[in-house]
Amino acid sequence: MEIRTQMYEGKAKQVLATDQPDQVVVRFKDAATAFDGKKKGTIANKGVYNLKISAFFFRMLEKEGIPTHYIETLSDRDLLARKLDIVPVEVVVRNIAAGSLAKRLGLEEGVPMAIPILEFYYKDDALGDPMINHYHIRAMNMASDEVVAEMEQYALQVNDILTRFLQTKHIQLVDFKLEFGLHQGKVYLGDEISPDTCRFWDTETREKMDKDRFRRDLGKVEEAYAEVLKRIEGE
Ligand code: C5P
């Protein structure tokens, strides 16, 4: 496998073409942004931690029957993945009130939800990823009803699998964001699953172990990413 030209550069990752038309290399960067790109910075070694954490979760989810874009880890920062036609919809699942949900509904951060909440956001940086529902997705031809139903089912399954696993590591899965795409007509989980895209709280101390440390200038950001990796890989 040979890496060719860059196809796309996002805020935290690059996507590079390979000599295989249906495979891409996803390269994880240390660059960090928040608040629709208004806050910019670097988290030392973030790319290395996020790749390892994502690869760990993708392998775990594959074993549980969730199709993911992950093929293999090529190096510290490069992951080989199936090339997806990304559905421009971010799927957020929430177990505990935090972030934009707490703000929008006037909830105190940390209040548990009676059932997991599933939300959709239109993936558009210029618009600040506005929240949408099934009607917008169909009306704007973002995805078919069948694809949306599969994304919902997978997202809730991912929530169950990761919540159960992380509990054994004394981590609460507060909320997270997933992205999906199509590959040869089938729905796959794409993007990453990391402290950039999830809220992880220590079960006992409720200390934040995710990108909120960067967003809110809480310090010890790299340490938090390292601790998540250490806990999930630990026996
Ligand atoms: O900001 P908000 O509370 O809506 O975020 C919910 C979850 O989705 C958080 O875990 C956050 O890290 C993730 N998210 C993301 N990318 C976005 C928006 C949210 O990874 N563009």
Side-chain angles (χ1 to χ4, degrees):
M1 201 280 306
E2 191 184 304
I3 298 177
R4 299 257 164 97
T5 51
Q6 177 173 302
M7 292 164 56
Y8 167 82
E9 175 144 30
K11 285 171 281 190
K13 297 188 292 296
Q14 291 169 296
V15 180
L16 309 152
T18 71
D19 53 359
Q20 305 294 314
D22 57 346
Q23 297 182 356
V24 293
V25 168
V26 181
R27 184 164 289 168
F28 286 68
K29 307 192 290 186
D30 291 347
T33 62
F35 311 119
D36 298 324
K38 288 190 221 39
K39 179 174 175 136
K40 288 192 177 72
T42 302
I43 301 171
N45 300 312
K46 172 169 82 78
V48 177
Y49 295 122
N50 281 359
L51 181 150
K52 288 204 171 98
I53 294 166
S54 296
F56 183 94
F57 286 140
F58 283 138
R59 285 193 292 262
M60 168 179 285
L61 294 170
E62 283 280 354
K63 277 193 211 136
E64 303 269 356
I66 314 260
T68 82
H69 71 154
Y70 179 80
I71 300 173
E72 64 175 316
T73 299
L74 299 175
S75 69
D76 261 10
R77 290 179 182 274
D78 287 356
L79 176 157
L80 185 65
R82 291 175 184 85
K83 184 174 173 183
L84 304 184
D85 240 337
I86 292 287
V87 175
V89 174
E90 300 187 340
V91 183
V92 169
V93 180
R94 304 175 183 272
N95 300 304
I96 298 174
S100 71
L101 176 77
K103 195 168 169 200
R104 187 171 353 106
L105 298 185
L107 298 170
E108 196 184 327
E109 203 165 65
V111 176
M113 298 291 101
I115 59 162
I117 296 176
L118 193 144
E119 298 169 343
F120 298 117
Y121 293 84
Y122 178 38
K123 202 171 142 55
D124 187 311
D125 280 342
L127 296 175
D129 298 338
M131 186 148 88
I132 52 171
N133 65 27
H134 288 93
Y135 288 89
H136 302 94
I137 296 175
R138 283 306 294 129
M140 293 173 65
N141 290 316
M142 295 174 193
S144 69
D145 288 344
E146 293 72 27
V147 167
V148 174
E150 273 194 86
M151 296 197 307
E152 283 184 339
Q153 195 197 329
Y154 287 146
L156 293 173
Q157 273 179 271
V158 168
N159 188 41
D160 284 344
I161 296 164
L162 296 190
T163 296
R164 261 186 285 122
F165 169 74
L166 288 167
Q167 260 165 8
T168 70
K169 307 293 178 184
H170 304 280
I171 296 174
Q172 276 186 320
L173 181 59
V174 173
D175 57 32
F176 59 94
K177 183 258 317 188
L178 300 177
E179 292 184 27
F180 295 89
L182 294 168
H183 180 88
Q184 295 167 1
K186 197 175 135 180
V187 175
Y188 284 84
L189 179 57
D191 196 45
E192 66 183 290
I193 305 178
S194 73
D196 270 13
T197 62
C198 304
R199 284 195 173 94
F200 296 128
W201 292 356
D202 180 277
T203 309
E204 278 80 42
T205 65
R206 305 207 113 186
E207 198 176 358
K208 297 184 198 311
M209 304 169 69
D210 55 59
K211 197 166 135 186
D212 272 348
R213 301 202 72 84
F214 168 78
R215 293 188 188 102
R216 302 179 193 186
D217 294 320
L218 300 176
K220 295 208 164 100
V221 188
E222 185 189 352
E223 288 86 342
Y225 282 63
E227 176 66 18
V228 170
L229 178 65
K230 187 175 144 209
R231 286 202 200 177
I232 66 172
E233 284 187 337
E235 289 310 312

